[in-house]
Amino acid sequence: MTTTRINFLLFTIAAVGAGWAGVALDRAGGEAAANEVAFSTSDGTLGQLLFILGPAVAGLLLYFLSRDGAGPLGLTLRFAHRTRWFGFAALFYPLAAAVLLGLGLVAGAATLSGDAAAFLTAFLTVFAVQLIKNPIEEFTFRGYGTRTAMALGLRGAATPHLLVGAVWAAWHLPLYLVWTSEADMRLVTSLSMPLFLVLLFAGLMAAALLYGEMRVRTGSIWPGVLMHSMSNAIVTPLLVEGYVSFPGHGDVLFSPVASSVLMTVLTAATGLFLISRRPRRAAVPPTLAATAT
């Protein structure tokens, strides 16, 4: 087994296991399980800190201690067409959310309420928090994960992204199965947990196509950080503060969350379009090495 394959395997174990190790740590310390961490409204626990930081630390250690030649970590801000990529990252989720909610309103499957100024304040508050968390998460799964998966020599341009997406989705499991209460889950989905998790995996793997391809095309994690932060800053106030509601199971199709059917289709289609338009020179890992330091 090559060094790159061993590194990706160890990274996967660390990413999937960090959250469950965090759950065990919290339980050993007598911490309450469900505490609204999914919505960034709690101070968090040591277990949740391990959940966030553990995979990133593992990626750093593997990068420095087990060299695999897969390229840099994507921390650069020096890449071609920065304005275009950051503009795309900033606008994608606002436009996507507007389209989905518009369709939901037309179909009678969604209702909107509340004050626009109050929503803007809530958006900015959540956005600021996400700019602390998401550089860590994007470094983990696009900075280290994508650069390593791209070097595995897998067939199909989308396959490395889907592989990282599966690991990313599995990383989320403790968040929803342990750290999110039943009442808070009802803000996220009207489905049972098993059905929600199926859609979650599909949605995050679709999102990984988009985030991962931006990483490949720019050599940088930062457009993904902005896009991820915009997504969370829009979705969290809309759902948690009750600006949007979905009678019945309207959320399954029209919610702006990653796990809704239409958002999954939209992100997957956009990611696959970018992959199909990838310049030939960007199709192999050495390009990652050439575009970032």
PDB file of all heavy atoms in Angstrom, residues 246-281:
ATOM      1  N   PHE A 246     -42.018  24.963   6.711  1.00  0.00           N
ATOM      2  CA  PHE A 246     -42.439  24.067   5.646  1.00  0.00           C
ATOM      3  C   PHE A 246     -43.553  23.163   6.168  1.00  0.00           C
ATOM      4  O   PHE A 246     -43.279  22.230   6.928  1.00  0.00           O
ATOM      5  CB  PHE A 246     -41.269  23.213   5.155  1.00  0.00           C
ATOM      6  CG  PHE A 246     -40.133  24.003   4.585  1.00  0.00           C
ATOM      7  CD1 PHE A 246     -39.038  24.353   5.375  1.00  0.00           C
ATOM      8  CD2 PHE A 246     -40.144  24.411   3.264  1.00  0.00           C
ATOM      9  CE1 PHE A 246     -37.987  25.081   4.861  1.00  0.00           C
ATOM     10  CE2 PHE A 246     -39.093  25.141   2.735  1.00  0.00           C
ATOM     11  CZ  PHE A 246     -38.007  25.484   3.538  1.00  0.00           C
ATOM     12  N   PRO A 247     -44.808  23.443   5.797  1.00  0.00           N
ATOM     13  CA  PRO A 247     -45.888  22.545   6.213  1.00  0.00           C
ATOM     14  C   PRO A 247     -45.660  21.136   5.663  1.00  0.00           C
ATOM     15  O   PRO A 247     -45.163  20.960   4.554  1.00  0.00           O
ATOM     16  CB  PRO A 247     -47.132  23.190   5.588  1.00  0.00           C
ATOM     17  CG  PRO A 247     -46.743  24.614   5.331  1.00  0.00           C
ATOM     18  CD  PRO A 247     -45.280  24.582   5.015  1.00  0.00           C
ATOM     19  N   GLY A 248     -46.027  20.165   6.460  1.00  0.00           N
ATOM     20  CA  GLY A 248     -45.858  18.782   6.021  1.00  0.00           C
ATOM     21  C   GLY A 248     -44.394  18.449   5.827  1.00  0.00           C
ATOM     22  O   GLY A 248     -43.563  18.713   6.686  1.00  0.00           O
ATOM     23  N   HIS A 249     -44.086  17.895   4.662  1.00  0.00           N
ATOM     24  CA  HIS A 249     -42.706  17.527   4.350  1.00  0.00           C
ATOM     25  C   HIS A 249     -42.138  18.393   3.228  1.00  0.00           C
ATOM     26  O   HIS A 249     -41.286  17.943   2.453  1.00  0.00           O
ATOM     27  CB  HIS A 249     -42.640  16.049   3.958  1.00  0.00           C
ATOM     28  CG  HIS A 249     -42.972  15.105   5.076  1.00  0.00           C
ATOM     29  ND1 HIS A 249     -42.209  15.017   6.217  1.00  0.00           N
ATOM     30  CD2 HIS A 249     -43.996  14.231   5.228  1.00  0.00           C
ATOM     31  CE1 HIS A 249     -42.738  14.117   7.036  1.00  0.00           C
ATOM     32  NE2 HIS A 249     -43.823  13.630   6.461  1.00  0.00           N
ATOM     33  N   GLY A 250     -42.585  19.632   3.156  1.00  0.00           N
ATOM     34  CA  GLY A 250     -42.093  20.530   2.123  1.00  0.00           C
ATOM     35  C   GLY A 250     -40.599  20.762   2.179  1.00  0.00           C
ATOM     36  O   GLY A 250     -39.948  21.032   1.165  1.00  0.00           O
ATOM     37  N   ASP A 251     -40.012  20.628   3.382  1.00  0.00           N
ATOM     38  CA  ASP A 251     -38.572  20.828   3.533  1.00  0.00           C
ATOM     39  C   ASP A 251     -37.751  19.811   2.753  1.00  0.00           C
ATOM     40  O   ASP A 251     -36.617  20.094   2.361  1.00  0.00           O
ATOM     41  CB  ASP A 251     -38.195  20.751   5.013  1.00  0.00           C
ATOM     42  CG  ASP A 251     -38.532  19.398   5.626  1.00  0.00           C
ATOM     43  OD1 ASP A 251     -39.736  19.090   5.747  1.00  0.00           O
ATOM     44  OD2 ASP A 251     -37.590  18.651   5.977  1.00  0.00           O
ATOM     45  N   VAL A 252     -38.307  18.632   2.537  1.00  0.00           N
ATOM     46  CA  VAL A 252     -37.559  17.576   1.850  1.00  0.00           C
ATOM     47  C   VAL A 252     -37.149  18.027   0.449  1.00  0.00           C
ATOM     48  O   VAL A 252     -36.043  17.719  -0.018  1.00  0.00           O
ATOM     49  CB  VAL A 252     -38.386  16.277   1.784  1.00  0.00           C
ATOM     50  CG1 VAL A 252     -37.653  15.206   0.987  1.00  0.00           C
ATOM     51  CG2 VAL A 252     -38.700  15.782   3.186  1.00  0.00           C
ATOM     52  N   LEU A 253     -38.021  18.799  -0.201  1.00  0.00           N
ATOM     53  CA  LEU A 253     -37.708  19.307  -1.532  1.00  0.00           C
ATOM     54  C   LEU A 253     -37.115  20.700  -1.511  1.00  0.00           C
ATOM     55  O   LEU A 253     -36.117  20.971  -2.190  1.00  0.00           O
ATOM     56  CB  LEU A 253     -38.974  19.324  -2.397  1.00  0.00           C
ATOM     57  CG  LEU A 253     -39.420  18.025  -3.034  1.00  0.00           C
ATOM     58  CD1 LEU A 253     -40.725  18.247  -3.789  1.00  0.00           C
ATOM     59  CD2 LEU A 253     -38.356  17.480  -3.984  1.00  0.00           C
ATOM     60  N   PHE A 254     -37.697  21.614  -0.734  1.00  0.00           N
ATOM     61  CA  PHE A 254     -37.446  23.036  -0.922  1.00  0.00           C
ATOM     62  C   PHE A 254     -36.579  23.702   0.140  1.00  0.00           C
ATOM     63  O   PHE A 254     -36.251  24.880   0.009  1.00  0.00           O
ATOM     64  CB  PHE A 254     -38.786  23.775  -1.002  1.00  0.00           C
ATOM     65  CG  PHE A 254     -39.677  23.303  -2.109  1.00  0.00           C
ATOM     66  CD1 PHE A 254     -40.826  22.580  -1.841  1.00  0.00           C
ATOM     67  CD2 PHE A 254     -39.353  23.561  -3.433  1.00  0.00           C
ATOM     68  CE1 PHE A 254     -41.649  22.142  -2.859  1.00  0.00           C
ATOM     69  CE2 PHE A 254     -40.163  23.130  -4.466  1.00  0.00           C
ATOM     70  CZ  PHE A 254     -41.319  22.413  -4.180  1.00  0.00           C
ATOM     71  N   SER A 255     -36.195  23.005   1.176  1.00  0.00           N
ATOM     72  CA  SER A 255     -35.369  23.633   2.207  1.00  0.00           C
ATOM     73  C   SER A 255     -33.996  23.992   1.642  1.00  0.00           C
ATOM     74  O   SER A 255     -33.453  23.273   0.793  1.00  0.00           O
ATOM     75  CB  SER A 255     -35.199  22.685   3.398  1.00  0.00           C
ATOM     76  OG  SER A 255     -34.350  23.260   4.374  1.00  0.00           O
ATOM     77  N   PRO A 256     -33.402  25.100   2.117  1.00  0.00           N
ATOM     78  CA  PRO A 256     -32.057  25.447   1.652  1.00  0.00           C
ATOM     79  C   PRO A 256     -30.940  24.646   2.316  1.00  0.00           C
ATOM     80  O   PRO A 256     -29.762  24.897   2.052  1.00  0.00           O
ATOM     81  CB  PRO A 256     -31.951  26.934   2.022  1.00  0.00           C
ATOM     82  CG  PRO A 256     -32.854  27.103   3.189  1.00  0.00           C
ATOM     83  CD  PRO A 256     -33.999  26.148   2.964  1.00  0.00           C
ATOM     84  N   VAL A 257     -31.262  23.697   3.177  1.00  0.00           N
ATOM     85  CA  VAL A 257     -30.227  22.876   3.811  1.00  0.00           C
ATOM     86  C   VAL A 257     -29.604  21.939   2.790  1.00  0.00           C
ATOM     87  O   VAL A 257     -30.203  21.622   1.767  1.00  0.00           O
ATOM     88  CB  VAL A 257     -30.788  22.061   5.002  1.00  0.00           C
ATOM     89  CG1 VAL A 257     -31.331  22.976   6.082  1.00  0.00           C
ATOM     90  CG2 VAL A 257     -31.859  21.087   4.539  1.00  0.00           C
ATOM     91  N   ALA A 258     -28.398  21.478   3.093  1.00  0.00           N
ATOM     92  CA  ALA A 258     -27.664  20.624   2.156  1.00  0.00           C
ATOM     93  C   ALA A 258     -28.388  19.322   1.867  1.00  0.00           C
ATOM     94  O   ALA A 258     -28.191  18.723   0.800  1.00  0.00           O
ATOM     95  CB  ALA A 258     -26.268  20.332   2.699  1.00  0.00           C
ATOM     96  N   SER A 259     -29.232  18.863   2.811  1.00  0.00           N
ATOM     97  CA  SER A 259     -29.863  17.554   2.665  1.00  0.00           C
ATOM     98  C   SER A 259     -31.177  17.577   1.900  1.00  0.00           C
ATOM     99  O   SER A 259     -31.770  16.516   1.688  1.00  0.00           O
ATOM    100  CB  SER A 259     -30.112  16.942   4.062  1.00  0.00           C
ATOM    101  OG  SER A 259     -30.916  17.811   4.852  1.00  0.00           O
ATOM    102  N   SER A 260     -31.647  18.741   1.462  1.00  0.00           N
ATOM    103  CA  SER A 260     -32.891  18.747   0.689  1.00  0.00           C
ATOM    104  C   SER A 260     -32.620  18.227  -0.724  1.00  0.00           C
ATOM    105  O   SER A 260     -31.512  18.353  -1.250  1.00  0.00           O
ATOM    106  CB  SER A 260     -33.499  20.147   0.636  1.00  0.00           C
ATOM    107  OG  SER A 260     -32.844  20.956  -0.318  1.00  0.00           O
ATOM    108  N   VAL A 261     -33.643  17.665  -1.325  1.00  0.00           N
ATOM    109  CA  VAL A 261     -33.469  17.029  -2.635  1.00  0.00           C
ATOM    110  C   VAL A 261     -33.036  18.037  -3.697  1.00  0.00           C
ATOM    111  O   VAL A 261     -32.093  17.797  -4.464  1.00  0.00           O
ATOM    112  CB  VAL A 261     -34.770  16.316  -3.056  1.00  0.00           C
ATOM    113  CG1 VAL A 261     -34.674  15.826  -4.502  1.00  0.00           C
ATOM    114  CG2 VAL A 261     -35.074  15.156  -2.118  1.00  0.00           C
ATOM    115  N   LEU A 262     -33.715  19.182  -3.756  1.00  0.00           N
ATOM    116  CA  LEU A 262     -33.398  20.148  -4.806  1.00  0.00           C
ATOM    117  C   LEU A 262     -32.034  20.806  -4.580  1.00  0.00           C
ATOM    118  O   LEU A 262     -31.312  21.088  -5.547  1.00  0.00           O
ATOM    119  CB  LEU A 262     -34.489  21.207  -4.906  1.00  0.00           C
ATOM    120  CG  LEU A 262     -35.830  20.703  -5.455  1.00  0.00           C
ATOM    121  CD1 LEU A 262     -36.842  21.836  -5.536  1.00  0.00           C
ATOM    122  CD2 LEU A 262     -35.644  20.059  -6.827  1.00  0.00           C
ATOM    123  N   MET A 263     -31.663  21.036  -3.323  1.00  0.00           N
ATOM    124  CA  MET A 263     -30.324  21.585  -3.074  1.00  0.00           C
ATOM    125  C   MET A 263     -29.252  20.575  -3.448  1.00  0.00           C
ATOM    126  O   MET A 263     -28.199  20.935  -3.996  1.00  0.00           O
ATOM    127  CB  MET A 263     -30.174  22.004  -1.607  1.00  0.00           C
ATOM    128  CG  MET A 263     -28.842  22.683  -1.299  1.00  0.00           C
ATOM    129  SD  MET A 263     -28.562  24.220  -2.232  1.00  0.00           S
ATOM    130  CE  MET A 263     -29.474  25.383  -1.193  1.00  0.00           C
ATOM    131  N   THR A 264     -29.507  19.308  -3.180  1.00  0.00           N
ATOM    132  CA  THR A 264     -28.567  18.264  -3.573  1.00  0.00           C
ATOM    133  C   THR A 264     -28.390  18.232  -5.081  1.00  0.00           C
ATOM    134  O   THR A 264     -27.263  18.167  -5.591  1.00  0.00           O
ATOM    135  CB  THR A 264     -29.053  16.892  -3.067  1.00  0.00           C
ATOM    136  OG1 THR A 264     -29.079  16.896  -1.642  1.00  0.00           O
ATOM    137  CG2 THR A 264     -28.143  15.773  -3.555  1.00  0.00           C
ATOM    138  N   VAL A 265     -29.503  18.301  -5.803  1.00  0.00           N
ATOM    139  CA  VAL A 265     -29.442  18.285  -7.267  1.00  0.00           C
ATOM    140  C   VAL A 265     -28.699  19.509  -7.782  1.00  0.00           C
ATOM    141  O   VAL A 265     -27.844  19.418  -8.679  1.00  0.00           O
ATOM    142  CB  VAL A 265     -30.864  18.231  -7.858  1.00  0.00           C
ATOM    143  CG1 VAL A 265     -30.831  18.446  -9.374  1.00  0.00           C
ATOM    144  CG2 VAL A 265     -31.516  16.894  -7.542  1.00  0.00           C
ATOM    145  N   LEU A 266     -28.988  20.673  -7.208  1.00  0.00           N
ATOM    146  CA  LEU A 266     -28.372  21.915  -7.673  1.00  0.00           C
ATOM    147  C   LEU A 266     -26.871  21.931  -7.417  1.00  0.00           C
ATOM    148  O   LEU A 266     -26.079  22.298  -8.297  1.00  0.00           O
ATOM    149  CB  LEU A 266     -29.046  23.100  -6.985  1.00  0.00           C
ATOM    150  CG  LEU A 266     -28.656  24.499  -7.460  1.00  0.00           C
ATOM    151  CD1 LEU A 266     -28.884  24.648  -8.958  1.00  0.00           C
ATOM    152  CD2 LEU A 266     -29.438  25.551  -6.691  1.00  0.00           C
ATOM    153  N   THR A 267     -26.443  21.529  -6.224  1.00  0.00           N
ATOM    154  CA  THR A 267     -25.011  21.542  -5.929  1.00  0.00           C
ATOM    155  C   THR A 267     -24.273  20.476  -6.736  1.00  0.00           C
ATOM    156  O   THR A 267     -23.165  20.719  -7.223  1.00  0.00           O
ATOM    157  CB  THR A 267     -24.750  21.339  -4.432  1.00  0.00           C
ATOM    158  OG1 THR A 267     -25.439  20.179  -3.968  1.00  0.00           O
ATOM    159  CG2 THR A 267     -25.216  22.533  -3.624  1.00  0.00           C
ATOM    160  N   ALA A 268     -24.888  19.302  -6.881  1.00  0.00           N
ATOM    161  CA  ALA A 268     -24.244  18.253  -7.669  1.00  0.00           C
ATOM    162  C   ALA A 268     -24.097  18.682  -9.124  1.00  0.00           C
ATOM    163  O   ALA A 268     -23.040  18.488  -9.737  1.00  0.00           O
ATOM    164  CB  ALA A 268     -25.057  16.960  -7.577  1.00  0.00           C
ATOM    165  N   ALA A 269     -25.153  19.289  -9.677  1.00  0.00           N
ATOM    166  CA  ALA A 269     -25.096  19.723 -11.073  1.00  0.00           C
ATOM    167  C   ALA A 269     -24.027  20.792 -11.269  1.00  0.00           C
ATOM    168  O   ALA A 269     -23.276  20.771 -12.261  1.00  0.00           O
ATOM    169  CB  ALA A 269     -26.459  20.253 -11.506  1.00  0.00           C
ATOM    170  N   THR A 270     -23.924  21.712 -10.327  1.00  0.00           N
ATOM    171  CA  THR A 270     -22.918  22.769 -10.443  1.00  0.00           C
ATOM    172  C   THR A 270     -21.516  22.191 -10.311  1.00  0.00           C
ATOM    173  O   THR A 270     -20.604  22.553 -11.067  1.00  0.00           O
ATOM    174  CB  THR A 270     -23.150  23.845  -9.371  1.00  0.00           C
ATOM    175  OG1 THR A 270     -24.496  24.310  -9.439  1.00  0.00           O
ATOM    176  CG2 THR A 270     -22.193  25.011  -9.564  1.00  0.00           C
ATOM    177  N   GLY A 271     -21.327  21.293  -9.351  1.00  0.00           N
ATOM    178  CA  GLY A 271     -20.026  20.665  -9.193  1.00  0.00           C
ATOM    179  C   GLY A 271     -19.628  19.860 -10.415  1.00  0.00           C
ATOM    180  O   GLY A 271     -18.473  19.940 -10.876  1.00  0.00           O
ATOM    181  N   LEU A 272     -20.551  19.084 -10.957  1.00  0.00           N
ATOM    182  CA  LEU A 272     -20.252  18.283 -12.141  1.00  0.00           C
ATOM    183  C   LEU A 272     -19.976  19.162 -13.359  1.00  0.00           C
ATOM    184  O   LEU A 272     -19.132  18.821 -14.203  1.00  0.00           O
ATOM    185  CB  LEU A 272     -21.405  17.324 -12.432  1.00  0.00           C
ATOM    186  CG  LEU A 272     -21.562  16.175 -11.428  1.00  0.00           C
ATOM    187  CD1 LEU A 272     -22.864  15.418 -11.680  1.00  0.00           C
ATOM    188  CD2 LEU A 272     -20.371  15.228 -11.477  1.00  0.00           C
ATOM    189  N   PHE A 273     -20.659  20.293 -13.436  1.00  0.00           N
ATOM    190  CA  PHE A 273     -20.386  21.229 -14.541  1.00  0.00           C
ATOM    191  C   PHE A 273     -18.956  21.757 -14.441  1.00  0.00           C
ATOM    192  O   PHE A 273     -18.230  21.805 -15.442  1.00  0.00           O
ATOM    193  CB  PHE A 273     -21.389  22.383 -14.503  1.00  0.00           C
ATOM    194  CG  PHE A 273     -21.074  23.467 -15.502  1.00  0.00           C
ATOM    195  CD1 PHE A 273     -21.374  23.290 -16.842  1.00  0.00           C
ATOM    196  CD2 PHE A 273     -20.475  24.654 -15.101  1.00  0.00           C
ATOM    197  CE1 PHE A 273     -21.078  24.288 -17.773  1.00  0.00           C
ATOM    198  CE2 PHE A 273     -20.173  25.650 -16.009  1.00  0.00           C
ATOM    199  CZ  PHE A 273     -20.478  25.464 -17.356  1.00  0.00           C
ATOM    200  N   LEU A 274     -18.532  22.153 -13.235  1.00  0.00           N
ATOM    201  CA  LEU A 274     -17.166  22.637 -13.058  1.00  0.00           C
ATOM    202  C   LEU A 274     -16.153  21.546 -13.397  1.00  0.00           C
ATOM    203  O   LEU A 274     -15.122  21.819 -14.023  1.00  0.00           O
ATOM    204  CB  LEU A 274     -16.952  23.120 -11.626  1.00  0.00           C
ATOM    205  CG  LEU A 274     -17.640  24.423 -11.212  1.00  0.00           C
ATOM    206  CD1 LEU A 274     -17.310  24.744  -9.767  1.00  0.00           C
ATOM    207  CD2 LEU A 274     -17.236  25.577 -12.123  1.00  0.00           C
ATOM    208  N   ILE A 275     -16.452  20.311 -12.963  1.00  0.00           N
ATOM    209  CA  ILE A 275     -15.550  19.199 -13.271  1.00  0.00           C
ATOM    210  C   ILE A 275     -15.443  18.997 -14.782  1.00  0.00           C
ATOM    211  O   ILE A 275     -14.349  18.790 -15.329  1.00  0.00           O
ATOM    212  CB  ILE A 275     -16.024  17.915 -12.584  1.00  0.00           C
ATOM    213  CG1 ILE A 275     -15.842  18.041 -11.068  1.00  0.00           C
ATOM    214  CG2 ILE A 275     -15.272  16.691 -13.110  1.00  0.00           C
ATOM    215  CD1 ILE A 275     -16.486  16.922 -10.271  1.00  0.00           C
ATOM    216  N   SER A 276     -16.576  19.086 -15.474  1.00  0.00           N
ATOM    217  CA  SER A 276     -16.572  18.876 -16.925  1.00  0.00           C
ATOM    218  C   SER A 276     -15.812  19.975 -17.655  1.00  0.00           C
ATOM    219  O   SER A 276     -15.321  19.760 -18.768  1.00  0.00           O
ATOM    220  CB  SER A 276     -18.013  18.818 -17.452  1.00  0.00           C
ATOM    221  OG  SER A 276     -18.623  20.107 -17.427  1.00  0.00           O
ATOM    222  N   ARG A 277     -15.710  21.147 -17.029  1.00  0.00           N
ATOM    223  CA  ARG A 277     -15.021  22.273 -17.643  1.00  0.00           C
ATOM    224  C   ARG A 277     -13.589  22.435 -17.128  1.00  0.00           C
ATOM    225  O   ARG A 277     -12.917  23.405 -17.467  1.00  0.00           O
ATOM    226  CB  ARG A 277     -15.795  23.571 -17.351  1.00  0.00           C
ATOM    227  CG  ARG A 277     -17.243  23.566 -17.813  1.00  0.00           C
ATOM    228  CD  ARG A 277     -17.370  23.770 -19.281  1.00  0.00           C
ATOM    229  NE  ARG A 277     -16.974  25.122 -19.662  1.00  0.00           N
ATOM    230  CZ  ARG A 277     -16.987  25.587 -20.899  1.00  0.00           C
ATOM    231  NH1 ARG A 277     -17.355  24.782 -21.899  1.00  0.00           N
ATOM    232  NH2 ARG A 277     -16.624  26.831 -21.161  1.00  0.00           N
ATOM    233  N   ARG A 278     -13.137  21.474 -16.337  1.00  0.00           N
ATOM    234  CA  ARG A 278     -11.789  21.563 -15.779  1.00  0.00           C
ATOM    235  C   ARG A 278     -10.748  21.521 -16.888  1.00  0.00           C
ATOM    236  O   ARG A 278     -10.776  20.616 -17.722  1.00  0.00           O
ATOM    237  CB  ARG A 278     -11.536  20.410 -14.814  1.00  0.00           C
ATOM    238  CG  ARG A 278     -10.165  20.456 -14.133  1.00  0.00           C
ATOM    239  CD  ARG A 278      -9.829  19.148 -13.464  1.00  0.00           C
ATOM    240  NE  ARG A 278     -10.759  18.777 -12.425  1.00  0.00           N
ATOM    241  CZ  ARG A 278     -10.745  17.604 -11.800  1.00  0.00           C
ATOM    242  NH1 ARG A 278      -9.836  16.684 -12.147  1.00  0.00           N
ATOM    243  NH2 ARG A 278     -11.637  17.329 -10.873  1.00  0.00           N
ATOM    244  N   PRO A 279      -9.824  22.476 -16.897  1.00  0.00           N
ATOM    245  CA  PRO A 279      -8.736  22.399 -17.890  1.00  0.00           C
ATOM    246  C   PRO A 279      -7.948  21.108 -17.698  1.00  0.00           C
ATOM    247  O   PRO A 279      -7.772  20.632 -16.577  1.00  0.00           O
ATOM    248  CB  PRO A 279      -7.871  23.624 -17.551  1.00  0.00           C
ATOM    249  CG  PRO A 279      -8.790  24.559 -16.834  1.00  0.00           C
ATOM    250  CD  PRO A 279      -9.741  23.683 -16.074  1.00  0.00           C
ATOM    251  N   ARG A 280      -7.481  20.560 -18.784  1.00  0.00           N
ATOM    252  CA  ARG A 280      -6.758  19.292 -18.715  1.00  0.00           C
ATOM    253  C   ARG A 280      -5.577  19.365 -17.751  1.00  0.00           C
ATOM    254  O   ARG A 280      -5.295  18.429 -17.017  1.00  0.00           O
ATOM    255  CB  ARG A 280      -6.267  18.881 -20.108  1.00  0.00           C
ATOM    256  CG  ARG A 280      -5.569  17.527 -20.151  1.00  0.00           C
ATOM    257  CD  ARG A 280      -5.202  17.162 -21.567  1.00  0.00           C
ATOM    258  NE  ARG A 280      -6.386  17.012 -22.391  1.00  0.00           N
ATOM    259  CZ  ARG A 280      -7.107  15.885 -22.466  1.00  0.00           C
ATOM    260  NH1 ARG A 280      -6.743  14.819 -21.761  1.00  0.00           N
ATOM    261  NH2 ARG A 280      -8.170  15.819 -23.230  1.00  0.00           N
ATOM    262  N   ARG A 281      -4.920  20.486 -17.698  1.00  0.00           N
ATOM    263  CA  ARG A 281      -3.749  20.623 -16.840  1.00  0.00           C
ATOM    264  C   ARG A 281      -4.121  20.591 -15.355  1.00  0.00           C
ATOM    265  O   ARG A 281      -3.254  20.419 -14.514  1.00  0.00           O
ATOM    266  CB  ARG A 281      -3.013  21.918 -17.135  1.00  0.00           C
ATOM    267  CG  ARG A 281      -3.868  23.160 -16.909  1.00  0.00           C
ATOM    268  CD  ARG A 281      -3.108  24.437 -17.239  1.00  0.00           C
ATOM    269  NE  ARG A 281      -3.969  25.613 -17.120  1.00  0.00           N
ATOM    270  CZ  ARG A 281      -4.266  26.205 -15.988  1.00  0.00           C
ATOM    271  NH1 ARG A 281      -3.796  25.719 -14.850  1.00  0.00           N
ATOM    272  NH2 ARG A 281      -5.042  27.271 -15.964  1.00  0.00           N
TER     273      ARG A 281
END
